[in-house]
Amino acid sequence: MDRVPVLKIGDILLVSIQVDMDDNTALALQDTLTERIVETSAHGVIIDITALDIVDSFIGRMLSTIASVSRVLDAETVVVGMRPAVAITLVELGLSLTGVRTALNVERAMELLELSRPARASSLSVVGDGLDVFDDDSPVA
Amino acid sequence: MDRVPVLKIGDILLVSIQVDMDDNTALALQDTLTERIVETSAHGVIIDITALDIVDSFIGRMLSTIASVSRVLDAETVVVGMRPAVAITLVELGLSLTGVRTALNVERAMELLELSRPARASSLSVVGDGLDVFDDDSPVA
């Protein structure tokens, strides 16, 4: 049962890590996640680590790798549910989780991802109705 | 690491079951879930069982109990991610998952819960303006 489900909510993928991650599970998760990002055109990935009592350098590297691969595929990664003790240990170990954003809970992560969504309407330019063409006499050059 | 995280998304609680459920884990999950429903005034509970290869009578009973307790607390339970083989086994074993609704994935479950949300505006009655009282002379009987 070493499979980590990837749940889709809107254009966000949600992964809750609860099992002990070994090499194979981590690789399988990366593969599944990468496929799902492409398949669903996901905009963001939320990884919940509430169940993890320990985040060692292996898990830390896995999270960084997932974040890097996702970024290449135009999806942002947010890690949520980090326990205070885990945060302290990470700092003490000097693990900085490069490229990984964090949020307190899933809702905050969704807000973060919502804010980072490119505004689709911003590229639409409003064309004037032509009546005021001669009112604007500012020189171009 | 036998703790199943309960994630909150809006007024819905999301639980992804990935670890082997024994008596203690199941009881702990029921307790946590009950507390969280009350704490967050949740309207629905979504239980993801994508990671489960087998749903035996123990898991089935646990799902039914969670659904019953949630209903008493005014929250509806939807089980998602059931594998085809699991569905076949459930029917063959005669386990009917009493009181448990199912959906194909989290998004469908959210739609289901959205539909079952009591419409708050429906109790507002529109009062007529009284001008067309005599225009409508269709007999009632």
Side-chain angles (χ1 to χ4, degrees):
Chain A
M1 202 159 70
D2 283 352
R3 208 184 308 112
V4 179
V6 177
L7 305 174
K8 178 174 172 289
I9 302 172
D11 61 355
I12 290 172
L13 299 179
L14 177 63
V15 180
S16 177
I17 297 181
Q18 295 170 32
V19 295
D20 286 316
M21 302 301 283
D22 54 29
D23 279 6
N24 289 333
T25 320
L27 276 179
L29 174 59
Q30 283 173 33
D31 283 355
T32 315
L33 207 46
T34 317
E35 279 165 24
R36 294 276 284 161
I37 290 174
V38 174
E39 195 181 298
T40 62
S41 315
H43 162 67
V45 176
I46 299 178
I47 302 178
D48 167 64
I49 58 167
T50 315
L52 299 188
D53 288 323
I54 298 163
V55 171
D56 54 13
S57 58
F58 176 73
I59 302 268
R61 205 168 51 241
M62 184 196 73
L63 294 175
S64 290
T65 309
I66 288 178
S68 304
V69 175
S70 304
R71 193 171 306 114
V72 175
L73 296 168
D74 194 26
E76 198 167 352
T77 305
V78 185
V79 170
V80 303
M82 188 181 293
R83 300 178 172 276
V86 168
I88 293 169
T89 315
L90 276 181
V91 172
E92 281 175 355
L93 288 176
L95 294 173
S96 59
L97 295 188
T98 326
V100 179
R101 298 183 74 171
T102 50
L104 207 58
N105 53 42
V106 176
E107 288 182 316
R108 295 264 186 107
M110 284 183 160
E111 284 168 20
L112 257 182
L113 291 171
E114 196 57 46
L115 286 177
S116 72
R117 188 187 305 271
R120 309 217 169 169
S122 66
S123 63
L124 289 173
S125 59
V126 178
V127 178
D129 57 3
L131 289 177
D132 56 348
V133 167
F134 296 105
D135 292 337
D136 183 10
D137 55 357
S138 58
V140 174
Chain B
M1 201 158 70
D2 284 353
R3 206 183 308 115
V4 179
V6 178
L7 305 174
K8 176 173 174 289
I9 301 173
D11 61 354
I12 290 172
L13 299 180
L14 177 64
V15 179
S16 177
I17 297 181
Q18 295 170 31
V19 294
D20 286 316
M21 302 301 284
D22 53 29
D23 279 8
N24 289 333
T25 321
L27 276 179
L29 174 60
Q30 284 173 33
D31 284 353
T32 315
L33 207 46
T34 317
E35 279 166 24
R36 292 277 284 161
I37 291 174
V38 175
E39 194 182 297
T40 63
S41 316
H43 162 67
V45 175
I46 299 179
I47 302 179
D48 167 64
I49 58 168
T50 315
L52 298 188
D53 289 322
I54 299 164
V55 171
D56 53 12
S57 59
F58 176 73
I59 302 270
R61 203 166 56 239
M62 184 194 73
L63 294 176
S64 291
T65 309
I66 288 178
S68 305
V69 175
S70 304
R71 194 172 305 112
V72 175
L73 296 170
D74 194 27
E76 199 166 351
T77 305
V78 185
V79 170
V80 304
M82 191 181 290
R83 302 178 169 277
V86 168
I88 293 168
T89 315
L90 277 180
V91 172
E92 281 175 356
L93 288 176
L95 294 173
S96 58
L97 294 187
T98 326
V100 178
R101 299 186 72 172
T102 51
L104 209 56
N105 53 43
V106 177
E107 287 182 317
R108 296 263 187 105
M110 284 183 160
E111 283 166 20
L112 257 182
L113 290 172
E114 195 57 44
L115 286 175
S116 72
R117 190 187 303 270
R120 309 218 169 167
S122 67
S123 61
L124 289 173
S125 59
V126 178
V127 178
D129 57 5
L131 289 176
D132 57 348
V133 167
F134 297 105
D135 292 336
D136 183 8
D137 55 358
S138 57
V140 173

